[in-house]
């Protein structure tokens, strides 16, 4: 493999190495002209009589300490017994080109056959495995299959068959194929098992331990209370696999019913658990004062839904709020007024819903309220959030105890009759007014148009609508002939019709 080996073979052919003879190591290393390296030792040539540095068996070279590499191992595939110094030509090749050597190679025994070959005497023969044949109903991947060491042999089956054993086998050093012999068998799908809480029905029917042939069908169903997840029908494919998805039966559970204001679901599990089992029944019970609307009982059924799921169950407030009005009020009018200023504590309504209750009154209460004389009915209406109403009433009676007022209650001056006339209709009269601002009834004791001659005491009495009254007494004086009786310090200028 190298020029040095070529030179060594050429010298061997010319027998140039025979002149050297054999060298024997000596104890005195100083006999050698050159200092030997630590690996070499001084030796004497039995034929030449010269002292030279001798490398150990398996090595070649000058062996002197002044060399960069005084002793080198023989090239792979050669050996040296270490009896003669010299260059690489001293290394003897192994008898077969497929031999290799392990350092240090000192003799023929160190020549071994390389990987893929076995020894046959002094020669190496290539390792071979038995010739393989493709499996029945199968073929080799590349058409041919070698049988030397490291040769690979791939097998596959024809359509409709599946391979059992090793699809790829290698020829090993021991002349044996790796893996297991391949075998092509008719494809079949592994036997399916019925799911928990489910039923499996397959066609065609086969033995309990056999696999299913291609095109076999298996149908799944679940027991009541469970629902199917996966494929309800699976078919055995030519790939020896089932189509579809694995099938399981999961317990049906319903999500908890929504909480209902002013009501609870019974039994307690209906309010506590997040999910409820198939067949669970829940009954709605409303609080006192609330009426149920919608289904009273709901049941968890198929597909995890509740019966009458589109109908909403709720508890509606049917009880009106309570409101209590103040006691009836009786009060007198304000001084010189036709009304009374009234205030009271408004009622506070209560409701079973514990929510805000709207309260309003008729008439609208603005304190203090100025109420007229008489009876006034005050109504309070309480309305809860469900529009239930409660009404209470009380009365406020305003009493007028104030008598009418009188003005100009003074007797008029004496009225003198003329000679030809007795008209006395221009008498002055008192003026009455009342806090009620209503019309008064005035009673006069005499007719003023028919007063007699002389002094007459006339009484005026005014009555209001509440029966309060006030009187005024006035004196009216008529004189028949005014010219006969003149007041002091006066004089008369009389004519036929007047004086």
């Amino acid at each position: 493999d190298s020029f040095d080996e070529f030179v060594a073979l050429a010298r061997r052919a010319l027998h140039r190495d025979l002149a050297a003879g054999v060298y024997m190591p000596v104890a005195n290393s100083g006999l050698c002209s050159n200092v030997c390296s630590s690996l070499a030792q001084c030796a004497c040539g039995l034929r030449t009589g010269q002292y030279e540095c001798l490398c150990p068996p398996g090595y070649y070279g000058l062996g002197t300490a002044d060399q960069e590499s005084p002793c080198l191992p023989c090239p792979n595939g050669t050996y040296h017994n270490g009896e003669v110094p010299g260059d690489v030509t001293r290394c003897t090749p192994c008898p077969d080109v497929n031999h290799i050597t392990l350092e240090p190679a000192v003799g023929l025994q160190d020549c071994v056959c390389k990987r893929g070959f076995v020894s046959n005497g002094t020669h190496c023969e290539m390792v071979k495995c038995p010739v393989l044949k493709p499996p029945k109903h199968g073929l080799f991947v590349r058409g041919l299959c070698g049988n030397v060491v490291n040769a690979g042999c791939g097998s596959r089956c024809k359509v409709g068959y599946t391979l059992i054993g090793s699809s790829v086998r290698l020829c090993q050093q021991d002349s044996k194929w790796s893996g297991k012999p391949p075998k092509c068998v008719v494809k079949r799908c592994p036997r399916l098992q019925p799911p928990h809480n489910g039923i499996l029905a397959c066609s065609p029917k086969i033995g309990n331990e056999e696999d299913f042939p291609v095109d076999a069908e298996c149908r799944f169903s679940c027991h009541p209370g469970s629902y199917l997840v996966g494929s309800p029908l699976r078919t055995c494919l030519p790939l020896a696999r089932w189509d579809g998805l694995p099938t399981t039966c999961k317990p049906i559970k319903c999500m908890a019913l929504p909480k209902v204001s002013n009501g609870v679901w019974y039994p307690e599990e209906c309010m506590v658990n997040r999910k409820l089992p198939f067949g669970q029944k829940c009954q709605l019970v409303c609080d006192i004062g609330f009426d149920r609307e919608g289904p009273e009982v709901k049941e968890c059924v198929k597909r995890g839904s509740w019966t009458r799921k589109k109908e909403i169950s709720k508890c509606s407030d049917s009880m009106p709020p309570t409101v209590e009005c103040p006691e009836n009020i009786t009060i007198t009018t304000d001084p010189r007024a036709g009304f009374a200023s009234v205030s009271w504590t408004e009622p506070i309504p209560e409701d079973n819903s514990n929510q805000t209750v709207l309260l309003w009154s008729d008439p609208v209460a603005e304190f203090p309220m100025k109420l007229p004389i008489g009876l006034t009915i005050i109504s309070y209406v309480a309305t809860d959030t469900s529009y239930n109403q409660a009404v209470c009433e009380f009365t406020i009676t305003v009493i007028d105890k104030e008598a009418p007022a009188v003005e100009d209650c003074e007797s008029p001056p004496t009225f003198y009759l003329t000679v030809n006339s007795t008209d006395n209709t221009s008498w002055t009269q008192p003026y009455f007014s009342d806090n009620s601002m209503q019309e008064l009834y005035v009673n006069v004791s005499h007719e003023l148009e028919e007063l007699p001659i002389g002094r007459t005491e006339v009484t005026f009495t005014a009555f209001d609508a509440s029966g309060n009254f006030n009187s005024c007494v006035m004196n009216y004086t008529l004189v028949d002939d005014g010219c006969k009786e003149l007041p002091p310090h006066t004089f008369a200028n009389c004519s036929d019709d007047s004086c």
Side-chain angles (χ1 to χ4, degrees), residues 206-226:
I206 59 175
N208 293 335
E209 297 182 357
E210 295 183 28
D211 291 335
F212 286 90
V214 175
D215 295 333
E217 290 184 347
C218 288
R219 189 175 300 274
F220 297 86
S221 60
C222 295
H223 295 309
S226 300

Side-chain angles (χ1 to χ4, degrees), residues 3 44 93 114 127 146 202 217 293 355 367-368 372 431 452 458 482-483:
F3 183 74
C44 176
K114 61 184 179 181
V127 174
C202 297
E217 290 184 347
E293 293 183 10
Q355 296 181 353
F367 301 124
Y431 173 74
V458 178
C483 295

Side-chain angles (χ1 to χ4, degrees), residues 58-199:
Y59 291 81
Y60 70 93
L62 298 178
T64 58
D66 58 350
Q67 297 290 319
E68 181 178 355
S69 299
C71 292
L72 296 173
C74 287
N76 190 15
T78 64
Y79 59 92
H80 183 225
N81 58 13
E83 294 179 352
V84 180
D87 55 16
V88 69
T89 59
R90 299 298 180 184
C91 295
T92 304
C94 292
D96 196 291
V97 294
N98 292 309
H99 275 142
I100 59 173
T101 52
L102 304 176
E103 297 180 2
V106 299
L108 184 60
Q109 69 276 9
D110 292 321
C111 294
V112 296
C113 294
K114 61 184 179 181
R115 185 179 180 84
F117 294 83
V118 294
S119 178
N120 184 6
T122 59
H123 297 284
C124 294
E125 294 182 355
M126 184 178 294
V127 174
K128 292 185 179 181
C129 295
V131 177
L132 292 180
K133 293 182 179 180
K136 187 178 181 180
H137 306 297
L139 47 87
F140 291 133
V141 174
R142 294 187 177 181
L144 297 175
C145 189
N147 63 335
V148 298
V149 173
N150 295 330
C153 191
S155 302
R156 62 185 178 89
C157 295
K158 296 179 180 179
V159 177
Y161 294 85
T162 185
L163 189 142
I164 298 176
S166 301
S167 60
V168 177
R169 305 181 72 186
L170 296 177
C171 181
Q172 304 177 116
Q173 284 291 119
D174 58 359
S175 303
K176 294 181 180 179
W177 291 97
S178 64
K180 295 182 179 180
K183 183 179 179 181
C184 293
V185 297
V186 177
K187 287 185 176 181
R188 300 177 74 90
C189 293
R191 190 175 191 87
L192 294 174
Q193 298 298 323
H196 181 65
N197 293 327
I199 300 173

Side-chain angles (χ1 to χ4, degrees), residues 261-263 287-291 315-322 349-358 382-389:
S261 299
N262 305 305
D287 297 340
I288 297 176
F290 294 85
D291 291 340
C315 294
S316 300
D317 186 3
S318 60
M319 180 181 292
T322 58
E350 296 180 353
D351 190 61
N352 59 328
S353 66
N354 296 322
Q355 296 181 353
T356 303
V357 178
L358 176 64
T383 305
D384 62 17
T385 54
S386 298
Y387 301 102
N388 298 309
Q389 288 187 340

Side-chain angles (χ1 to χ4, degrees), residues 338-379:
F339 58 84
S341 300
V342 187
S343 298
W344 63 88
T345 301
E346 288 193 296
I348 300 176
E350 296 180 353
D351 190 61
N352 59 328
S353 66
N354 296 322
Q355 296 181 353
T356 303
V357 178
L358 176 64
L359 181 70
W360 57 276
S361 65
D362 183 24
V364 178
E366 295 181 356
F367 301 124
M369 287 191 70
K370 296 181 179 180
L371 298 180
I373 298 170
L375 180 70
T376 300
I377 299 175
I378 306 296
S379 299

Side-chain angles (χ1 to χ4, degrees), residues 275-473:
K275 292 185 177 181
L276 299 170
F278 175 81
Q280 176 71 57
K281 293 183 179 180
C282 295
Q283 180 182 11
L284 178 62
V285 178
C286 295
D287 297 340
I288 297 176
F290 294 85
D291 291 340
R292 176 184 48 79
E293 293 183 10
E296 178 183 5
V297 177
K298 290 194 173 187
E299 182 179 359
C300 180
V301 292
K302 294 180 179 180
R303 298 184 181 179
S305 62
W306 294 96
T307 54
R308 304 174 70 179
K309 62 180 180 180
K310 293 184 178 180
E311 300 180 54
I312 299 176
S313 298
K314 61 181 181 178
C315 294
S316 300
D317 186 3
S318 60
M319 180 181 292
T322 58
V323 59
E324 185 174 352
C325 286
E327 297 290 336
N328 295 336
I329 299 174
T330 300
I331 192 171
T332 58
T333 57
D334 294 351
R336 305 300 301 168
F339 58 84
S341 300
V342 187
S343 298
W344 63 88
T345 301
E346 288 193 296
I348 300 176
E350 296 180 353
D351 190 61
N352 59 328
S353 66
N354 296 322
Q355 296 181 353
T356 303
V357 178
L358 176 64
L359 181 70
W360 57 276
S361 65
D362 183 24
V364 178
E366 295 181 356
F367 301 124
M369 287 191 70
K370 296 181 179 180
L371 298 180
I373 298 170
L375 180 70
T376 300
I377 299 175
I378 306 296
S379 299
Y380 275 96
V381 179
T383 305
D384 62 17
T385 54
S386 298
Y387 301 102
N388 298 309
Q389 288 187 340
V391 180
C392 72
E393 294 179 346
F394 71 102
T395 61
I396 299 178
T397 304
V398 178
I399 300 175
D400 181 14
K401 292 185 177 182
E402 188 172 336
V406 60
E407 296 179 6
D408 299 331
C409 185
E410 296 181 359
S411 299
T414 301
F415 187 82
Y416 295 93
L417 298 175
T418 63
V419 175
N420 297 323
S421 174
T422 61
D423 186 9
N424 56 358
T425 60
S426 59
W427 296 110
T428 61
Q429 300 180 26
Y431 173 74
F432 290 95
S433 63
D434 192 62
N435 61 323
S436 66
M437 304 300 292
Q438 296 179 358
E439 185 178 357
L440 299 175
Y441 169 71
V442 181
N443 182 36
V444 184
S445 60
H446 297 78
E447 294 291 337
L448 296 183
E449 292 83 0
E450 300 177 359
L451 292 178
I453 301 299
R455 181 174 177 273
T456 303
E457 186 178 275
V458 178
T459 301
F460 295 87
T461 303
F463 295 88
D464 62 15
S466 299
N468 301 308
F469 65 91
N470 197 2
S471 298
C472 173
V473 179

